[in-house]
C-alpha cells in the first residue's frame, strides 16, 4: 500500500515541490518534553539518552545488559524513530544497587547524557510532547510559496494522521492485522500483538479523518461531534453552543475521531453515520479490535503545531522546528509542504 492509501488527502493543497528527509540522522532530531521534577533520591535511576540510528527497544536492551538487570526493569515513555537523532528518558529499577557503569553500552549510536535518581519509575506516555528539528535537503520548491504555506499551517494546524511508519513497510503491519482478524486470532507475541492492533486502529482513524478532510470538516465542529482539548484524553459532546466555542478557532479545542474498540461510537448525527459507514466497510478489523478488549477512545482530528519556526541554511535546505503533542507525527506537517521522493519511513 502507498502513503495516500494509508493516510488520506492533504488539507492545504498539493505539495509545493520535493525534498529529501533523513539524508543523515541529524536531519531528523526529536527531543522528549518531560515535565517531571526528579528528586535525586530513590530506587529508580533515570537516564537522559541520546540515540543515533538506534530504536528505543534496542537501546533499552543495551542499557539493561550494561546494568546487569532484566529488560523488564527498564521503562521508557515512548518509542522514537530509529533513523534519526533522538533524545529521550529511560528509567531502571535498581533497589539497593549502586549506579551502574554504562560505558559498555555507549558508542557512536548511544550516549548517556544525564542520570538522576527518583522515587518512581518512568511511565509510558509520561512525556507531554516531542520537540522536532527537521532538515529538508535537496529542496526544489518556491521559497515564497513555502513561507506562505508554513504561515498557514501555523495558524490552522494540519490533519492529525497517523504516519506511514505506524503501518510498517508497504503497510505490512496492517496486512498482518487483516490476516489475524480474518482468522479471529490475536498474536501470541506481545510486541506483534501491540503492533498489529495499533496499525488496525490507526487505519480506521485515518479513514475517518480522510473523509472529513475531503469534505472540509476536519477542523470544524459539527453537532454530534465529540470535542477534546489538545492534551486531554477525555471528550465532550458538541451541541450548537459547543460548536460556537471560540477555543475552536484558537486551536485549543478540536473535533475527534474514533480509536476503535468495544462499544459503539458515542458520536451522534452525521458524525456517527460517517464513522459507522467507515467501520461497516472494515467489519473484520472492527470486530477484531473490539474482541481484543480495547475500549473505544478518541483522538483529535486537527493537530496544532506549537512554536513553528523555519529558515533556510542554504538555498536547497529548509530547516523546521516545532513541538507536537505525544503520539503525533512530524509526517503530518511535512506532507502538507513537499513530497519526499522515494521516502515513506518518516
Amino acid at each position: 500500500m502507498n502513503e495516500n492509501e494509508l493516510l488520506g488527502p492533504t488539507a492545504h493543497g498539493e505539495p509545493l515541490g520535493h525534498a529529501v528527509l533523513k539524508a543523515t540522522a541529524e536531519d531528523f532530531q526529536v527531543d522528549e518534553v518531560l515535565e517531571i521534577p526528579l528528586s535525586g533520591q530513590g530506587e529508580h535511576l533515570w537516564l537522559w539518552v541520546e540515540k543515533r540510528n538506534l530504536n528505543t527497544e534496542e537501546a533499552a536492551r543495551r542499557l539493561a545488559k550494561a546494568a546487569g538487570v532484566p529488560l523488564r526493569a527498564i521503562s521508557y515513555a515512548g518509542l522514537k524513530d530509529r533513523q534519526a537523532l533522538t533524545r529521550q528518558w529511560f528509567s531502571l529499577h535498581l533497589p539497593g544497587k549502586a549506579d551502574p557503569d554504562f560505558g559498555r553500552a555507549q558508542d557512536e549510536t548511544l550516549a548517556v547524557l544525564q542520570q538522576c535518581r527518583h522515587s518512581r519509575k518512568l511511565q509510558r506516555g509520561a512525556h507531554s510532547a516531542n520537540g522536532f528539528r527537521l532538515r529538508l535537503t535537496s529542496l526544489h520548491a518556491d521559497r515564497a510559496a513555502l513561507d506562505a504555506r508554513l504561515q498557514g499551517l501555523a495558524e490552522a494546524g494540519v490533519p492529525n494522521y497517523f504516519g506511514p511508519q505506524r503501518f510498517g513497510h508497504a503497510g505490512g503491519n496492517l496486512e498482518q492485522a487483516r490476516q489475524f482478524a480474518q482468522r479471529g486470532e490475536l498474536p501470541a507475541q506481545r510486541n506483534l500483538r501491540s503492533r498489529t492492533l495499533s496499525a488496525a486502529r490507526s487505519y480506521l482513524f485515518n479513514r475517518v479523518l480522510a473523509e472529513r478532510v475531503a469534505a472540509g470538516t476536519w477542523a470544524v465542529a459539527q453537532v454530534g461531534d465529540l470535542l477534546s482539548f489538545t492534551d486531554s484524553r477525555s471528550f465532550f459532546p458538541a451541541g450548537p453552543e459547543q460548536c460556537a466555542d471560540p477555543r475552536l478557532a484558537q486551536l485549543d479545542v478540536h473535533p475527534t475521531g474514533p480509536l476503535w474498540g468495544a462499544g459503539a461510537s458515542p458520536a451522534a448525527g452525521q458524525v456517527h453515520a460517517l464513522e459507522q459507514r467507515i467501520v461497516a466497510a472494515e467489519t473484520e478489523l472492527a470486530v477484531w479490535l473490539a474482541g481484543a478488549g480495547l475500549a473505544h477512545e478518541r483522538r483529535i482530528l486537527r493537530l496544532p503545531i506549537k512554536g513553528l519556526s523555519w529558515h533556510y541554511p542554504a538555498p536547497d535546505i529548509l530547516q523546521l522546528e516545532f513541538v507536537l503533542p505525544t503520539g503525533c507525527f512530524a509526517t503530518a506537517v511535512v506532507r502538507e509542504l513537499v513530497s519526499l521522493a522515494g521516502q515513506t519511513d518518516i
Side-chain angles (χ1 to χ4, degrees):
M1 301 180 74
N2 61 39
E3 181 179 303
N4 288 334
E5 292 175 303
L6 293 169
L7 279 70
T10 57
H12 295 272
E14 294 297 317
L16 298 173
H18 57 88
V20 173
L21 181 58
K22 295 189 175 183
T24 69
E26 283 72 15
D27 291 341
F28 195 102
Q29 299 189 37
V30 189
D31 284 71
E32 274 185 353
V33 179
L34 190 70
E35 299 173 343
I36 299 176
L38 302 181
S39 65
Q41 297 180 340
E43 58 186 32
H44 298 272
L45 179 64
W46 288 45
L47 307 175
W48 179 236
V49 174
E50 181 178 86
K51 314 185 331 296
R52 179 181 281 99
N53 292 327
L54 185 70
N55 69 35
T56 301
E57 293 168 337
E58 177 57 28
R61 283 191 288 269
R62 285 170 55 175
L63 293 171
K65 183 177 180 180
V69 298
L71 185 58
R72 65 177 180 273
I74 304 256
S75 301
Y76 45 84
L79 298 172
K80 297 290 179 287
D81 299 73
R82 178 187 62 81
Q83 192 181 345
L85 177 62
T86 66
R87 286 165 285 270
Q88 70 177 113
W89 285 97
F90 292 80
S91 75
L92 291 77
H93 190 206
L94 300 171
K97 296 182 179 180
D99 292 359
D101 178 2
F102 293 103
R104 292 177 297 169
Q106 301 187 69
D107 57 19
E108 68 280 1
T109 67
L110 187 149
V112 177
L113 304 179
Q114 181 183 343
Q115 59 188 67
C116 185
R117 287 277 179 164
H118 192 52
S119 57
R120 296 183 179 181
K121 79 172 187 177
L122 176 59
Q123 300 286 345
R124 281 294 186 101
H127 57 312
S128 59
N130 289 302
F132 292 89
R133 178 180 294 174
L134 309 185
R135 192 163 54 199
L136 298 167
T137 59
S138 300
L139 175 69
H140 292 273
D142 179 76
R143 183 178 293 192
L146 282 171
D147 290 344
R149 177 71 60 85
L150 282 161
Q151 187 60 44
L153 302 188
E155 295 171 357
V158 297
N160 192 22
Y161 288 114
F162 285 99
Q165 63 267 55
R166 175 58 59 93
F167 306 103
H169 178 68
N173 293 344
L174 179 60
E175 180 56 34
Q176 283 185 303
R178 290 193 185 282
Q179 293 171 4
F180 281 107
Q182 288 170 1
R183 298 195 298 268
E185 300 174 355
L186 284 171
Q189 186 181 349
R190 180 180 175 183
N191 287 347
L192 179 59
R193 181 166 64 251
S194 175
R195 192 163 60 243
T196 52
L197 288 171
S198 180
R201 237 182 170 193
S202 301
Y203 179 70
L204 293 181
F205 174 88
N206 278 5
R207 297 277 55 75
V208 171
L209 177 53
E211 291 267 357
R212 293 192 60 162
V213 171
T217 63
W218 63 280
V220 179
Q222 301 176 296
V223 173
D225 251 323
L226 298 162
L227 306 180
S228 179
F229 289 93
T230 301
D231 297 316
S232 175
R233 293 187 178 182
S234 62
F235 52 85
F236 55 96
E241 182 179 353
Q242 288 74 28
C243 289
D245 191 328
R247 293 174 296 183
L248 285 158
Q250 295 164 1
L251 275 66
D252 290 331
V253 174
H254 317 273
T256 65
L259 295 175
W260 205 257
S265 166
Q270 294 182 352
V271 177
H272 182 266
L274 166 62
E275 295 180 6
Q276 290 302 119
R277 178 163 55 81
I278 296 297
V279 167
E282 296 286 354
T283 303
E284 281 187 341
L285 286 181
V287 170
W288 183 63
L289 288 168
L294 295 173
H296 186 101
E297 298 175 305
R298 307 294 293 186
R299 173 183 170 93
I300 56 175
L301 295 177
R302 177 177 59 183
L303 175 58
I305 310 167
K306 185 178 180 181
L308 177 61
S309 64
W310 64 92
H311 70 282
Y312 300 86
D316 64 343
I317 299 176
L318 169 60
Q319 183 164 309
L320 306 169
E321 295 189 31
F322 52 88
V323 177
L324 298 179
T326 57
C328 298
F329 291 77
T331 308
V333 179
V334 174
R335 72 190 304 265
E336 294 287 345
L337 295 172
V338 295
S339 60
L340 299 173
Q343 292 181 286
T344 58
D345 184 19
I346 61 171

